[in-house]
Each structure stands twice: as C-alpha cells, then as structure tokens.
Amino acid sequence: MIPELGHYALVLALFVALVQSTLPLVGAATGNAAWMAVARPAAVAQLALITVAYLALTWAYLVSDFSVLNVVQNSHSAKPLIYKLSGVWGNHEGSMILWVAMLAVFGAAVALFGRNLPPTLKARVLSVQGMIGVGFLLFILITSNPFIRVVPAPPDGNDLNPLLQDPGLAFHPPFLYLGYVGFSMAFSFAVGALIEGRVDPAWARWVRPWTLVAWSSLTMGIAMGSWWAYYELGWGGWWYWDPVENASLMPWLAGTALLHSAIVVEKRDALKTWTILLAIVTFSLSLMGTFLVRSGILTSVHAFAVDPARGVFILGLLLLATGGSLLLYGVRAPGLKTGGLFAPVSREGALVLNNLLLSTATATVFIGTLYPLFLDIVGGGKVSVGPPFFNATFLPLMIPLVAAMVVGPMLSWKRGDLPGALGRLGAAGAAVLLSVLVTVWLTGGPLLALVGIGLGIWAIAGSAVEVAERVRLFRIPLRDSWTRAAGLPRAAWGMTIAHAGLGIAILGMTGTSAWVTEDIKAMKPGDRTTLAGYEILFEDLRPAVVAGNYSADVGRFRITRDGAPVAVLTPERRSYNVQRMTTTEAAIHTTWVSDLYIALGDPGQTGAWTVRLYHHPLVPWIWIGAVIMVAGGLVSLTDRRLRVGAPERRRATPPPAAQPAE
C-alpha cells in the first residue's frame, strides 16, 4: 500500500508541476495577479508530494519490502541500516527521486522566502522551475518508476553495490545532486529575466545566494567523491580524469565563473548577457553530467548501468532545456541594456580574465571528455583521452588563473593601478620566494612542483594580504583594525576564506603528485619492508572475519620509524557473498602533513599477498582545502545582502512622547 501511495504522489506532483509551469507564466504575461499567485502554493505542494514519494521508498528499504523491484535489486536484509538509507539514492530510480526532491526544495524555498522578488519575475522563475520538474517527473514515471512490484516477492534482495557501501559514498551523491540541481535555480532566474527583458544589480543579488548554495554543495560532493576514490579503490590516487569525474568538474568550473560574473553585474551593472549565458551553460553541463551517468555510454565505477533508452529521454530533456534557453537568449539578449564601462586594468577586468580562463578550462575538459565518445559514435574508432591530455592542457590554464585571482581584489573598480596592486602584494611575493627556496633545499624540485608550491602560497598569502589591506593592519591602532575587520562584509570574508582554501588544496595536489613514494610487493606474514623512512612489518593475517553482510581478510602491519612505534594499520580485503564481489579497504596513517597508505591486494599461490604501499606528502591538504572553500561559501551566504536581495529592515524610530503641559 505504501509504495502505491508513493507512486500516486509522484503522479499528483506531475500535475501540480504542470500547473506551476503554465498558469503563473500566463499570469505574468497578462498581468493576472491571481494566476501569478498560484506559483507559491504549487511549488510548496510539489515539494510535499515528492517528499511523500521519497519517504514511501525509504520505508520500503527500511522494512526490506522485497515485493518492490527496486528494493530487491539494491538491498538485502543483512545490510546495515545506514546503507539501507543510502541505498534509496544508491541506484538510478531512487537517485532520480532525490533529484526531483531537491529540485522541489529549491522551488519551494524561492516561493516561501522570495518575498522581495518582483511578482512577475517570481512567477516566471517558478514557472521555469516547474517546467524542469515536469521533464524529470515524466522521466521517472515513464522510464524509471521505483515503485514497480515484483510477484512473487523473493525471500531476500540482491544487495547494494559493495563499492557504495561506504560512508563516503553514502553522502557523496546528495551533495553532488544538491550542486547539480542548485544550478537549476540560476538557470530559472536567467530564463525568467530573459522573458521579462530585464537584468539589473538586484537580479544578480537574487541569483548569487542560490548559486553559492549549489557551488558549495558541488565542491563538497566532488571532494567526498575524491576522498572515497582515494581510500576505497586501493590505487592510492585521488583523481584520474574519469569521464564521470569530469562531468562534475565542468559545472563546478562554469559555476565558479558564474559566481564571479554575477559580482560584476551586482557592483557595476555590466556583463549582463554574459552572466545570463553562464547560468544557462552551467545548468546545461549539470544535465549533461546526468546524461553521461545514466545513458549507458560510459563504463565507470561512478556510472549507473542502465538501459540506454533512458539516456535518450534525458538527452531529449537536455536538448530541449539547452536549445530552448539558448534560442530565447539569442532573441532577447541583444535587447538587454548594457552596463557601465571599465578599463582593462580594473577589478572588472580581472573578473573578466577569471571568466575567460575558467570558460577555456571548461571547454578543454568538455572536449577531452566528449571527443572519444563522439568519435566512436561516428565510426572513427575508439581513442583514449586520459591524464596526459588533461595535465598538458588544463593545468597550464590554472597558473594564470590563480595568479590573477590574488591580484584582482587589490584593484579598484572601473580603473585600477596594477603596479600599485603588485606593490601591496610584496609580502605575498616574499612568501612565495621563501617557500620555493625552502622546497628546493628540501627536495630539489621538480620545476612544476615548485610552480605549484609557489601558486598555493601565493593564493594563501595573497588572501591574508588582501584582508590586511582592508583593515589597514599595522597602519592604524590594532583596536581600530579589529573594528574594521568586524565590520567587513561577510561576503568579503567568504571570498578570502575560499581563495585561501584553494591555495591549501593546490599545495596538497602538488605535494602528492610530485613526491609520492609507492611500492607494490608480494608479502607474507613476518616479512618486512621500508618506505619513505618507515619500517613496515607484516605481522599477521586474520582470514574470514564475518561482519554484517560480508567477510573480510584483515592484515596487521606494525609501523615504526627509527625504532619508535608509529602505528598499527589493518587494511582489509572484503568479500560480499551476495554480489560475489571483493573490495579493498585501505588503512591510512596520517600526520596531517602526509599519509602512509597500505592496501591489501589478492593472495598468491605461494601464500604471499599483494601489498600496495604509498607515502603521500601533503595529500590531506586537498580535502582540508576543499572543506575550507565550502566554509568560505557558507560564510558568504550569511551576508544579509545576499538574502534574495533583501535590504536590511530597520524599525522606524517612534516619535517622542508629548510632554505634559506644566
């Protein structure tokens, strides 16, 4: 009964979305306030109905209702509770329910909290959001219904993919989807503004908080996916330019450009048409990522193995959303009023350079990801585009991007003084020089590693110098500087924190790429080896330790350094009997400056086990930096000015009471 209730709720949500996508739009065009007002209750009702559907599917997983085909295919009675919950979105059908639920959350948030939006713009934005909902609800009901019954019900299920039975992958998809879907709000605002024919600084201020939410969520989702790949797959890497990894990176790059471009619209009323285009492209790239994962054209540990016919449906949605919005853009964008002029050397100019480099980087990843697929489709044969291509084309674009990222905030709006800005960054330049010299002294290179270390320190020190300049540190009394720091806009603090977090992540990427030490050995209990100054003793192996729905072989490795004990690491090789699949659970000893990483491989015929040993300098800083970047985005979100463009309300001062006559 409950699964049927969930299915019925989805059908009702589709009809509500149809109403939301039509009546308010017509009302805005005809000036009918009553029809425009339908958008708000429709968006809330759609969220309520999709929530019912999501909870119904969750209930089926929690009680192991194996009369539901989706539960049979992705769950098992012995599976731990956390993976029963994450199993709801750990498959194609359930993940699409999560997708439309988040889509409805964003729509309802605008409906409930967008009180300061002009009524016509609000109606049009919610109508566009409703159209997106119609497309995906149709997709679920026609091709991906998660409530299909199976008769007779089997006694147990097929279990969840063992690679997904991990805390990192349990929460990675929700953050990723929150980022993907969040950009739909910027898309809806862009299309709504094109229909209305008006883009102004207030519009940019309304768009920025939704874009910040999406960008921060996608940053966290990508970081969690990278961390999962690092410790779960057993190869010691954190990024491999996998097509599905690239599918999440592209909207992140475009979304970063959108955030910076919206600042120019808000502050200088310029780059309007470019910002609208970025909003369209960013969400289109999010849709493309959805298509790649679910079309069946990719073979990846991240991809859903599904019927390619579903990919055709999503491709149709992608073409309709992208093609329709670009057609509207071509018709209406030339009529948008242009903003103020600015000199090439200015803060606006730096942000334009930022956008050009980010857009070029996005195009580079786009071509490298889709070119092999396109060539295969047209019969040109199979080619492989891997890390060498991306390292040779993408990374050089990041060098001027990070360099300009620090200089830009030091320039004035409209017309800047480049020599003066560079002069104020003298302390940051000195920090870069010192860090490079220390790196040469400690490691001797290589050259690209020195460039990476210099860029990371430049981003961190430059962010600190920028704050010091704002508060006039050491030029006025310390108490006054503290007062100025407390009065800085939170969006400015968020920018500084995010830029510094990027610098920390760059240091981590550089360190582990340039100075990783690895060794793959066949070892038996009692064998010893050394790696990066650590002595490693393979003490013993405990086979067939039963835990939950899997059994495991657990190795015990004692780590010492110069005779002093450091740690005991216990990597595992797990065997999931239902799925008949083995996974690797690496054991990691971290000092927060480096990681010692041990993964237990397959056993050999002689009794020896394949053991993978890695020493990764600075690798924890990749994820520390990513978390700091997310924190920067969240700090910016607390800025009152970004709350849907709402000015701060002040209570009117009451008139003084009349004095009684004496």
Side-chain angles (χ1 to χ4, degrees), residues 627-662:
V627 170
I628 292 173
M629 291 168 67
V630 173
L634 297 179
V635 169
S636 292
L637 276 172
T638 64
D639 194 318
R640 172 75 188 183
R641 300 173 305 163
L642 297 185
R643 295 181 192 172
V644 201
E648 186 174 357
R649 295 184 176 90
R650 298 182 182 273
R651 291 184 179 179
T653 304
Q659 298 294 326
E662 296 184 358

Side-chain angles (χ1 to χ4, degrees), residues 209-362:
W210 307 108
T211 306
L212 267 172
V213 169
W215 180 87
S216 300
S217 302
L218 189 55
T219 302
M220 179 58 74
I222 292 173
M224 293 181 72
S226 170
W227 167 240
W228 168 82
Y230 173 67
Y231 72 80
E232 176 70 18
L233 299 184
W235 61 290
W238 51 274
W239 191 266
Y240 196 66
W241 297 104
D242 180 278
V244 179
E245 293 174 340
N246 295 347
S248 63
L249 179 62
M250 285 185 282
W252 185 88
L253 292 168
T256 304
L258 174 60
L259 272 178
H260 291 81
S261 180
I263 294 173
V264 181
V265 179
E266 179 185 346
K267 301 294 185 183
R268 295 288 301 142
D269 198 24
L271 299 185
K272 295 178 181 180
T273 56
W274 172 248
T275 304
I276 291 286
L277 180 61
L278 275 177
I280 294 172
V281 169
T282 301
F283 182 58
S284 298
L285 290 172
S286 296
L287 290 179
M288 191 192 72
T290 307
F291 166 70
L292 290 176
V293 171
R294 291 167 171 80
S295 62
I297 65 174
L298 292 180
T299 301
S300 166
V301 297
H302 309 275
F304 290 103
V306 299
D307 183 355
R310 294 171 176 174
V312 173
F313 197 108
I314 296 182
L315 181 61
L317 290 178
L318 172 62
L319 294 176
L320 184 62
T322 304
S325 58
L326 289 178
L327 178 62
L328 179 64
Y329 176 82
V331 173
R332 302 302 297 270
L336 295 177
K337 182 180 177 181
T338 58
L341 301 177
F342 53 87
V345 179
S346 61
R347 189 173 297 189
E348 298 98 320
L351 289 169
V352 169
L353 177 61
N354 160 286
N355 269 228
L356 290 174
L357 291 170
L358 283 169
S359 300
T360 305
T362 305

Side-chain angles (χ1 to χ4, degrees), residues 411-605:
L411 296 172
S412 301
W413 293 104
K414 195 172 182 179
R415 184 179 297 276
D417 176 17
L418 184 58
L422 293 175
R424 292 191 296 274
L425 287 168
V432 170
L433 179 60
L434 179 61
S435 66
V436 170
L437 291 176
V438 171
T439 304
V440 170
W441 178 58
L442 293 175
T443 67
L447 177 61
L448 286 180
L450 300 180
V451 172
I453 294 295
L455 282 176
I457 296 298
W458 176 250
I460 298 168
S463 299
V465 168
E466 193 264 339
V467 172
E469 286 291 319
R470 281 176 174 264
V471 303
R472 302 184 67 188
L473 188 64
F474 305 131
R475 288 184 287 169
I476 60 176
L478 191 59
R479 179 176 296 178
D480 293 342
S481 292
W482 179 259
T483 302
R484 290 174 68 94
L488 285 179
R490 292 183 185 176
W493 277 113
M495 176 197 71
T496 299
I497 293 169
H499 286 181
L502 177 61
I504 293 171
I506 289 172
L507 292 178
M509 297 173 194
T510 302
T512 187
S513 299
W515 300 299
V516 61
T517 306
E518 60 180 285
D519 193 9
I520 301 176
K521 304 180 76 70
M523 299 182 68
K524 298 179 181 179
D527 288 351
R528 297 175 180 269
T529 188
T530 60
L531 184 77
Y534 291 98
E535 295 87 33
I536 302 167
L537 169 63
F538 187 0
E539 284 192 336
D540 60 40
L541 183 78
R542 290 175 289 167
V545 176
V546 178
N549 58 336
Y550 65 86
S551 61
D553 294 304
V554 182
R556 181 180 175 87
F557 293 80
R558 185 168 298 276
I559 314 301
T560 58
R561 192 180 187 100
D562 299 325
V566 174
V568 175
L569 299 183
T570 55
E572 298 182 16
R573 182 177 179 272
R574 294 180 179 178
S575 298
Y576 290 80
N577 297 326
V578 176
Q579 289 269 336
R580 299 184 182 278
M581 182 175 175
T582 60
T583 64
T584 298
E585 297 293 321
I588 302 172
H589 169 68
T590 184
T591 64
W592 301 106
V593 177
S594 65
D595 280 358
L596 179 64
Y597 178 112
I598 301 180
L600 194 64
D602 297 326
Q605 295 181 350

